[in-house]
C-alpha cells in the first residue's frame, strides 16, 4: 500500500462512502485525490482485489466504489501514524512514530 492508495481510502471514508448506495464514481475520486484516470483506475482495481474497496451501484454509465469494513479497519489503524491529508493533492506526515 502506498500513499495514493491510502489517500483513496481516506477520501471514501471522509465522504462516508461505506455502502452500495453511498459510493463515489471514479471521476469524483479522481477530483478529490488529484490523480489521473489511468492511475486512479489501476489503484481502485488493486484495492478491490485486496478487499479494501468494493463496487457500488451504477451511476448512469459509471461504476461507483465504496470502502469496505476491511478498508475502514486499515484506515483507522493508519490514523495512529498521525497522517494529515488534504484534498488539494498535497500530503504531509506529522509526528510519524
Amino acid at each position: 500500500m502506498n500513499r495514493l492508495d491510502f489517500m483513496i481510502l481516506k477520501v471514501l471514508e471522509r465522504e462516508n462512502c461505506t455502502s452500495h448506495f453511498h459510493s463515489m464514481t471514479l471521476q469524483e475520486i479522481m477530483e478529490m485525490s488529484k490523480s489521473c484516470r489511468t492511475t486512479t483506475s489501476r489503484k481502485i482495481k488493486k484495492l478491490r482485489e485486496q478487499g479494501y474497496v468494493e463496487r457500488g451501484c451504477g451511476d448512469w454509465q459509471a461504476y461507483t466504489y465504496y470502502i469496505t469494513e476491511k478498508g475502514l479497519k486499515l484506515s483507522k489503524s493508519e490514523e495512529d501514524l498521525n497522517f494529515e491529508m488534504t484534498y488539494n493533492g498535497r500530503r504531509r506526515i506529522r509526528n510519524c512514530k
Side-chain angles (χ1 to χ4, degrees):
M1 167 138 329
N2 66 23
R3 294 177 87 178
L4 183 55
D5 296 332
F6 183 70
M7 186 174 194
I8 290 170
L9 292 179
K10 292 306 285 183
V11 165
L12 292 170
E13 179 188 5
R14 287 181 183 171
E15 295 299 315
N16 201 29
C17 298
T18 56
S19 71
H20 185 77
F21 293 107
H22 295 98
S23 48
M24 293 178 77
T25 64
L26 186 65
Q27 183 67 36
E28 292 167 333
I29 296 168
M30 286 170 35
E31 290 169 4
M32 300 288 279
S33 64
K34 299 293 184 195
S35 57
C36 70
R37 176 174 286 284
T38 306
T39 300
T40 307
S41 180
R42 194 171 351 111
K43 295 294 183 182
I44 291 289
K45 180 181 178 187
K46 184 175 109 180
L47 290 169
R48 284 188 67 216
E49 289 170 354
Q50 294 172 337
Y52 297 122
V53 172
E54 274 301 322
R55 192 177 281 167
C57 63
D59 182 37
W60 293 94
Q61 295 180 349
Y63 291 119
T64 62
Y65 302 94
Y66 65 94
I67 189 170
T68 63
E69 282 297 319
K70 182 179 177 181
L72 284 170
K73 286 178 186 174
L74 177 69
S75 177
K76 297 289 186 197
S77 69
E78 292 295 323
E79 285 178 359
D80 293 340
L81 295 176
N82 294 318
F83 276 88
E84 180 182 296
M85 302 182 73
T86 61
Y87 285 140
N88 67 0
R90 296 176 189 215
R91 298 172 297 274
R92 298 182 299 269
I93 301 175
R94 288 188 318 203
N95 303 328
C96 260
K97 296 178 183 176

